């Protein structure tokens, strides 16, 4: 049901849904103010009056500071439009002299969420100077004796203390300032303290663009999406709480007839605790910010390499291992190219053939390529030195200025051309897309101009959107030295996203699931698992926090069959759990408490209706629960429903209780070992004695001579059966002898073969059940 509404009565405009209502009005003095912001579920009014009127915007124009309460505005029009997913947009146009202000509001049906932004149009005959336009301004006056709390979250740059959600009491005189170019809150984490962050920051590097004001068991969250330089403040002076933020633009020149669009911000209500807030935000994302997510690339496992070219032979060996284990994607990171900006294969690597071979084996191909960076000797640098901003260090080199339309179009065209040249693939970006102009490159005495970052930021989101639109079969993996660009709007366009470069240590992923759906995470440091050893089989390397990944730096070296089999079983369990619905689009995340140990080493995922789930326990050696006995208090269970809970490694005996009993009494775990997980209503898992249906056999087996990446042999292919339920992998027989398992795709390339060899294939189920053999 579309419950979004927008009503105008004279100079009063009411908008919202059945869960949120906002009332704006233009007074007789021409002041544009917020009269009411109501949380319908609780009946709470968030506008209580006070010393300062609740403005909707502020900006400085030619040295004069204007805000909604300044007065002198004329209400020119109120227009509404229904957007592609049923969202209702209200567009309010005001004028004051030669300045036109356009306020946009989007209501999301069924949710207590409003998104908004401002546009300024210069109708004068000469340019005007715009400074510090607001991103948002929020004044909240609680009822007498009610206590406010304010929460914020550190950013995604590479420092200890990154990606942590923090809550402070809002006492009288409280002031908390935020500067995206300021110093991060570095603290000690897991015995480490420090940072490797770049000296110039913006976007979400130092602070996440995420603030929360709570009153008891409810609150208001606010997010925004801007990759330039911004500042914000939460204050409570003379009992006048105010939360505001602005773009740090100084004398930005707005030409006659030109419109300046400020980045969007989102406000929403929630009821409950921190987990309820996170699940409320994720519902907004799942329902309305999922339109550019490609299921083909979302929540997929990875086998990756990070080595210099040539790489074709190493990838060939990686495919062997990945095919046996069941990895869904081969990921080639940095150092595969001739120069940033050129992005050509080197030393004989043919990336189109590599991609074709990977896809022939039923896998996806991911390739690292930060499109807004270029080397000094690249063709784009030599042809367009005027596009180049700020030497970014030896890692990323120069930043291409996306505030220039021709530079932006070159980047977009280059990305589209590479999708044609290499074949469709999953693009992994990196680096900072926004940087200052006119800083004299290596001349540190000239601090440069940050005003261009506003347009660069706008074009960063535009690039994501237009790349996905122009390449509907391509994937997009978000990264910016970790989480510098992480936010709701950027993650809208990505299929997976990295949260840091690792210096968050075990805290990584614990709080970012408030803003980024858990299965869009590009692995999660909270898992704390040791790197997988391809010569051994270590059960503690199981990582079920999100789609698993493993690094294979030396695929040309032999890997043991035990290690391959161990990884295959790990992936088999993950795929089975994904089929049960505990991984995917609609997942709730809870942070259970413990009786004794540090709860930040735990996370709990549940299906959206809270019927099934998984308690995930970090295998990090620093986890104080390991080797100990402790009690865990699960969350999110339905009180009168029954839940059967089992452990993977025996820390508890299987038991069935009601949700109320489990949450009240907790789960007692004894001698917890690395690799332990609790399965909630998930019986009959692979490796147990559960009953599984007999898998159907494959069909249409063919064998033909193939040549791939310089190797000649026989390619054996088959067709999956009509139903793939309960198929874990295929078993391949050659001349009557079983030779391998194929857990990814329906193809096997046999180098040591002739066309006269005879092949058979059968399906194998999660419980070891086998179909009949199918002959070639």
């Amino acid at each position: 049901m579309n419950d979004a509404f927008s009503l105008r009565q004279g100079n009063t405009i009411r908008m919202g849904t059945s869960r949120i209502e906002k009332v704006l009005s233009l007074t007789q003095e021409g002041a544009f103010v917020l009269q009411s912001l109501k949380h319908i579920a609780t009946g709470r009014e968030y506008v209580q009056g006070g010393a300062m009127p609740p403005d909707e915007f502020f900006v400085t124009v030619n040295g004069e500071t204007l805000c909604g309460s300044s007065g002198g505005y004329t209400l020119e029009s109120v227009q509404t439009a229904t957007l592609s997913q049923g969202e209702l947009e209200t567009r309010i146009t005001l004028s004051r002299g030669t300045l036109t202000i356009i306020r946009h509001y989007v209501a999301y049906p069924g949710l207590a969420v409003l998104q908004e932004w401002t546009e300024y149009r210069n109708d004068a005959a000469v340019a005007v100077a715009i400074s510090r336009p607001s991103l948002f301004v929020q004044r909240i006056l609680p009822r007498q004796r009610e206590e406010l709390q304010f929460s914020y979250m550190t950013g995604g740059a590479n420092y200890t203390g990154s990606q942590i959600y923090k809550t402070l009491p809002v006492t009288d005189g409280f002031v908390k300032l935020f500067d995206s170019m300021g110093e991060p809150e570095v603290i000690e984490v897991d015995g480490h303290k420090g940072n490797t962050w770049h000296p110039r920051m913006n976007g979400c590097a130092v602070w996440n663009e995420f603030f929360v004001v709570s009153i008891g068991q409810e609150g208001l969250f606010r997010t925004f999406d801007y990759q330039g330089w911004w500042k914000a403040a939460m204050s409570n002076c003379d009992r006048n709480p105010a939360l505001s933020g602005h773009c740090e633009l100084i004398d930005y020149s707005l030409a006659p007839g030109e419109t300046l669009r400020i980045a969007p911000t989102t406000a929403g209500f929630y009821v409950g605790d921190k987990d309820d807030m996170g699940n409320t935000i994720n519902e907004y994302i799942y329902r309305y910010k999922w339109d550019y997510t490609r299921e083909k690339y979302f929540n997929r496992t990875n086998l990756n390499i990070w080595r210099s070219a040539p790489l074709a032979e190493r990838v060939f060996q990686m495919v062997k291992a990945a095919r046996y284990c069941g990895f869904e994607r081969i990921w080639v990171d940095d150092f595969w190219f001739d120069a940033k900006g050129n992005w050509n294969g080197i030393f004989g690597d043919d990336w189109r053939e590599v991609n074709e071979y990977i896809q022939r084996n039923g896998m996806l191909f991911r390739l690292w390529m930060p499109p807004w960076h270029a080397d000094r000797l690249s063709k784009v640098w030599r042809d367009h030195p005027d596009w180049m901003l700020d030497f970014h260090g030896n890692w990323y080199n120069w930043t291409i200025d996306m505030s220039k339309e021709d530079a932006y179009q070159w980047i977009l065209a280059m990305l589209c051309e590479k999708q044609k040249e290499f074949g469709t693939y999953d693009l992994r970006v990196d680096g900072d897309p926004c940087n200052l102009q006119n800083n004299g490159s290596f001349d540190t005495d000239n601090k440069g101009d940050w005003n261009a970052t506003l347009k660069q930021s706008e074009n960063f989101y535009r690039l994501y959107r237009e790349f996905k639109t122009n390449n509907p079969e391509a994937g997009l993996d978000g990264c910016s030295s970790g989480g510098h660009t992480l936010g709701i709007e950027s993650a809208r366009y990505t299929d997976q996203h990295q949260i840091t470069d690792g210096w968050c240590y075990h805290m990584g992923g614990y709080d970012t699931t408030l803003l980024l759906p858990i299965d869009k995470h590009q692995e999660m440091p909270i898992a704390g698992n040791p790197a997988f050893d391809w010569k051994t089989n270590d059960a503690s390397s199981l990582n079920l926090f999100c789609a698993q990944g493993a690094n294979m730096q030396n695929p040309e070296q032999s890997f043991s069959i035990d290690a391959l089999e161990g990884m295959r079983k790990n992936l088999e369990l993950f795929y089975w759990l994904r089929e049960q619905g505990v991984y995917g689009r609609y997942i709730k995340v809870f942070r259970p408490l413990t009786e004794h140990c540090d709860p930040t080493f735990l996370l709990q995922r549940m299906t959206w209706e809270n019927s099934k789930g998984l308690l995930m326990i970090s295998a990090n050696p620093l986890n104080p629960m390991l080797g100990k006995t402790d009690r865990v208090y699960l969350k999110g269970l339905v009180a009168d429903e029954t839940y059967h809970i089992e452990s993977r490694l025996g820390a508890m005996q299987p038991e069935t209780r009601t949700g109320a009993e489990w949450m009240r009494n907790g789960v007692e775990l004894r001698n917890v070992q690395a690799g332990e997980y609790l399965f909630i209503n998930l019986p009959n898992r692979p490796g147990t004695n559960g009953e599984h249906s007999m898998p159907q056999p494959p069909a249409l087996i063919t064998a033909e001579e193939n040549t791939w990446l310089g190797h000649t042999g026989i390619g054996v292919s088959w067709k999956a059966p009509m139903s793939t339920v309960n198929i874990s992998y295929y078993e391949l027989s050659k001349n009557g002898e079983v030779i391998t398992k194929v857990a990814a795709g329906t193809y096997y390339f046999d180098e040591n073969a002739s066309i006269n060899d005879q092949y058979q294939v059968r399906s194998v189920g999660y419980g070891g059940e086998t179909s009949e053999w199918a002959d070639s």
Side-chain angles (χ1 to χ4, degrees):
M1 177 180 177
N2 191 333
D3 60 354
F5 65 88
S6 178
L7 304 171
R8 177 183 180 181
Q9 186 174 10
N11 284 347
T12 298
I13 303 101
R14 310 173 75 91
M15 66 186 71
T17 69
S18 60
R19 299 189 181 189
I20 186 172
E21 183 185 63
K22 187 167 190 171
V23 182
L24 302 163
S25 68
L26 189 73
T27 68
Q28 290 182 347
E29 296 76 23
F32 183 66
V33 295
L34 173 64
Q35 283 192 338
S36 172
L37 181 61
K38 186 176 291 186
H39 188 182
I40 305 299
T42 64
R44 181 181 296 277
E45 173 60 70
Y46 276 68
V47 177
Q48 299 287 336
M52 298 291 291
D55 291 313
E56 283 292 280
F57 64 88
F58 59 81
V59 66
T60 298
V61 182
N62 289 339
E64 179 186 6
T65 298
L66 302 176
C67 58
S69 58
S70 297
Y73 298 100
T74 299
L75 180 58
E76 300 290 349
S77 66
V78 178
Q79 299 171 305
T80 61
T82 301
L83 306 183
S84 62
Q85 300 179 92
E87 315 98 309
L88 184 62
E89 179 180 359
T90 302
R91 174 174 166 157
I92 301 173
T93 303
L94 307 167
S95 64
R96 192 178 193 270
T98 57
L99 181 69
T100 296
I101 300 100
I102 306 169
R103 288 283 294 164
H104 298 258
Y105 302 87
V106 178
Y108 294 88
L111 302 181
V113 176
L114 291 171
Q115 189 176 49
E116 55 195 58
W117 65 94
T118 309
E119 292 179 325
Y120 299 100
R121 189 177 71 227
N122 177 17
D123 295 328
V126 296
V128 297
I130 301 288
S131 294
R132 297 190 172 94
S134 60
L135 287 158
F136 54 87
V137 55
Q138 189 76 55
R139 300 190 188 280
I140 300 173
L141 191 68
R143 297 185 180 97
Q144 190 175 7
R145 292 188 299 277
E146 287 184 320
E147 294 185 357
L148 285 178
Q149 288 189 317
F150 173 66
S151 302
Y152 64 97
M153 192 166 162
T154 57
N158 214 26
Y159 63 92
T160 56
S162 59
Q163 301 292 27
I164 296 178
Y165 183 85
K166 301 179 180 182
T167 299
L168 301 172
V170 181
T171 56
D172 193 33
F174 176 91
V175 176
K176 178 70 177 177
L177 303 177
F178 300 89
D179 183 344
S180 68
M181 292 285 291
E183 295 288 329
E185 290 184 350
V186 177
I187 62 173
E188 183 174 320
V189 179
D190 297 349
H192 302 270
K193 186 175 183 180
N195 66 76
T196 61
W197 58 289
H198 303 298
R200 292 170 179 153
M201 296 297 221
N202 42 54
C204 313
V206 177
W207 311 103
N208 264 287
E209 296 169 347
F210 176 38
F211 302 113
V212 181
V213 179
S214 55
I215 307 171
Q217 287 294 298
E218 68 167 290
L220 173 73
F221 63 83
R222 185 171 285 280
T223 68
F224 59 101
D225 300 280
Y226 183 55
Q227 297 306 316
W229 187 3
W230 59 268
K231 292 182 179 180
M234 176 68 196
S235 63
N236 183 28
C237 300
D238 298 324
R239 287 192 56 78
N240 187 36
L243 173 64
S244 63
H246 67 267
C247 303
E248 187 65 357
L249 301 180
I250 307 297
D251 293 334
Y252 184 99
S253 181
L254 191 62
E258 186 180 359
T259 297
L260 180 66
R261 182 183 187 274
I262 307 304
T265 178
T266 299
F269 291 124
Y270 71 94
V271 177
D273 63 7
K274 172 181 174 180
D275 293 341
D276 295 313
M277 178 191 65
N279 291 326
T280 298
I281 294 172
N282 273 273
E283 181 179 11
Y284 164 59
I285 296 169
Y286 287 138
R287 290 181 62 174
Y288 293 106
K289 298 297 178 179
W290 207 258
D291 45 345
Y292 286 88
T293 301
R294 306 292 182 245
E295 296 297 322
K296 176 180 178 180
Y297 299 97
F298 164 65
N299 193 29
R300 303 297 160 186
T301 57
N302 306 289
L303 184 61
N304 63 285
I305 188 169
W306 191 29
R307 293 283 299 273
S308 59
L311 286 165
E313 179 60 24
R314 288 191 171 105
V315 171
F316 181 82
Q317 299 302 327
M318 289 174 70
V319 170
K320 285 185 182 180
R323 183 172 55 210
Y324 184 101
C325 298
F327 283 103
E328 296 170 297
R329 179 163 38 210
I330 299 293
W331 166 3
V332 175
D333 212 85
D334 203 351
F335 309 126
W336 59 268
F337 44 85
D338 59 342
K340 296 179 183 71
N342 287 349
W343 307 114
N344 297 315
I346 194 173
F347 301 136
D349 288 341
D350 182 342
W351 291 105
R352 184 174 188 86
E353 185 184 6
V354 170
N355 189 7
E356 288 174 351
Y357 183 59
I358 290 170
Q359 294 194 38
R360 185 66 186 88
N361 281 273
M363 305 171 204
L364 303 167
F365 177 43
R366 170 179 287 170
L367 192 62
W368 185 90
M369 184 190 298
W372 39 73
H373 291 295
D375 291 347
R376 179 69 180 267
L377 296 181
S378 64
K379 185 176 187 301
V380 64
W381 204 110
R382 289 182 283 112
D383 289 350
H384 302 283
D386 55 310
W387 292 356
M388 301 300 153
L389 299 173
D390 183 48
F391 185 72
H392 201 112
N394 291 326
W395 199 273
Y396 294 120
N397 303 122
W398 299 78
T399 304
I400 300 176
D401 186 359
M402 286 200 292
S403 71
K404 298 178 181 294
E405 182 64 18
D406 51 354
Y408 169 84
Q409 292 295 343
W410 180 90
I411 292 173
L412 177 61
M414 181 273 294
L415 289 177
C416 294
E417 181 58 35
K418 288 299 177 183
Q419 289 286 324
K420 296 176 183 177
E421 180 183 346
F422 296 163
T424 301
Y425 62 92
D426 186 13
L427 169 66
R428 176 171 168 83
V429 301
D430 207 344
D432 289 327
C434 301
N435 223 318
L436 75 173
Q437 289 180 330
N438 307 321
N439 70 321
S441 182
F442 296 100
D443 180 5
T444 56
D445 293 333
N446 187 346
K447 294 182 179 180
D449 178 11
W450 284 97
N451 282 351
T453 60
L454 185 139
K455 189 65 176 180
Q456 292 167 5
S457 174
E458 183 178 306
N459 278 342
F460 161 74
Y461 296 103
R462 176 188 174 196
L463 181 68
Y464 272 12
R465 181 177 64 254
E466 293 191 345
F467 171 76
K468 275 293 190 76
T469 299
N470 293 345
N471 302 278
E473 297 302 315
L476 181 58
D477 182 39
C479 180
S480 176
S481 296
H484 292 202
T485 60
L486 176 62
I488 290 178
E489 203 64 28
S490 61
R492 174 187 184 183
Y493 302 106
T494 58
D495 306 296
Q496 283 188 307
H497 208 296
Q498 191 161 325
I499 57 173
T500 73
D501 268 349
W503 271 52
C504 55
Y505 293 97
H506 91 270
M507 290 300 299
Y510 187 75
D511 287 326
T512 49
T513 49
L514 296 169
L515 283 172
L516 178 68
I518 187 169
D519 290 323
K520 277 204 174 187
H521 279 68
Q522 180 59 62
E523 302 182 19
M524 294 170 64
I526 188 175
N529 292 342
F532 190 80
D533 187 340
W534 290 101
K535 295 184 179 180
T536 64
N537 178 20
D538 184 357
S540 69
S541 294
L542 175 63
N543 178 2
L544 293 177
F545 282 73
C546 57
Q548 297 179 61
N551 187 275
M552 185 173 272
Q553 289 294 78
N554 300 295
E556 67 276 15
Q557 299 179 4
S558 61
F559 28 75
S560 74
I561 191 65
D562 286 344
L564 290 178
E565 184 65 10
M567 178 57 77
R568 188 196 64 77
K569 289 181 178 179
N570 287 351
L571 294 175
E572 176 186 63
L573 178 57
F574 168 74
Y575 296 139
W576 182 86
L577 290 169
R578 190 168 68 187
E579 289 179 4
Q580 307 311 304
V582 294
Y583 293 82
R585 177 173 177 179
Y586 282 99
I587 299 296
K588 289 181 180 175
V589 174
F590 297 95
R591 294 157 186 80
L593 298 178
T594 62
E595 191 170 30
H596 301 293
C597 295
D598 185 347
T600 63
F601 286 89
L602 307 176
L603 269 182
Q604 178 188 342
R605 62 163 66 233
M606 299 293 293
T607 55
W608 200 251
E609 73 283 0
N610 296 322
S611 63
K612 304 175 186 178
L614 193 68
L615 177 69
M616 306 174 288
I617 304 171
S618 174
N620 189 322
L622 295 175
N623 183 355
M625 183 179 288
L626 298 183
K628 304 291 196 320
T629 294
D630 202 355
R631 190 175 298 274
V632 178
Y633 295 92
L634 299 175
K635 299 181 68 176
L637 307 183
V638 180
D640 57 355
E641 295 292 327
T642 58
Y643 292 89
H644 182 72
I645 299 182
E646 302 173 84
S647 67
R648 177 172 178 257
L649 300 179
M652 64 166 290
Q653 292 300 312
E655 192 171 352
T656 302
R657 294 183 181 179
T658 66
E661 290 172 323
W662 282 121
M663 291 188 291
R664 180 179 62 250
N665 301 327
V667 183
E668 185 178 17
L669 303 178
R670 296 180 177 273
N671 192 21
V672 178
Q673 299 300 306
E676 184 64 282
Y677 293 85
L678 296 189
F679 301 100
I680 304 170
N681 277 351
L682 290 166
N684 301 326
R685 299 180 307 283
T688 67
N689 294 322
E691 295 183 1
H692 300 275
S693 60
M694 188 67 67
Q696 293 184 8
L700 298 177
I701 300 175
T702 60
E704 58 184 4
E705 293 181 344
N706 288 161
T707 299
W708 290 110
L709 306 180
H711 297 262
T712 300
I714 300 299
V716 183
S717 60
W718 56 94
K719 184 178 180 180
M722 291 292 292
S723 172
T724 58
V725 172
N726 193 34
I727 293 181
S728 173
Y729 61 92
Y730 298 98
E731 204 165 41
L732 192 72
S733 170
K734 175 181 174 182
N735 299 328
E737 181 179 351
V738 174
I739 59 171
T740 192
K741 297 175 181 178
V742 176
T746 55
Y747 177 81
Y748 178 75
F749 182 59
D750 189 0
E751 297 175 77
N752 304 307
S754 76
I755 196 64
N756 297 318
D757 290 321
Q758 298 297 309
Y759 295 92
Q760 293 178 305
V761 182
R762 67 180 179 183
S763 307
V764 181
Y766 287 119
E769 307 85 1
T770 57
S771 72
E772 296 179 353
W773 288 102
D775 298 317
S776 60

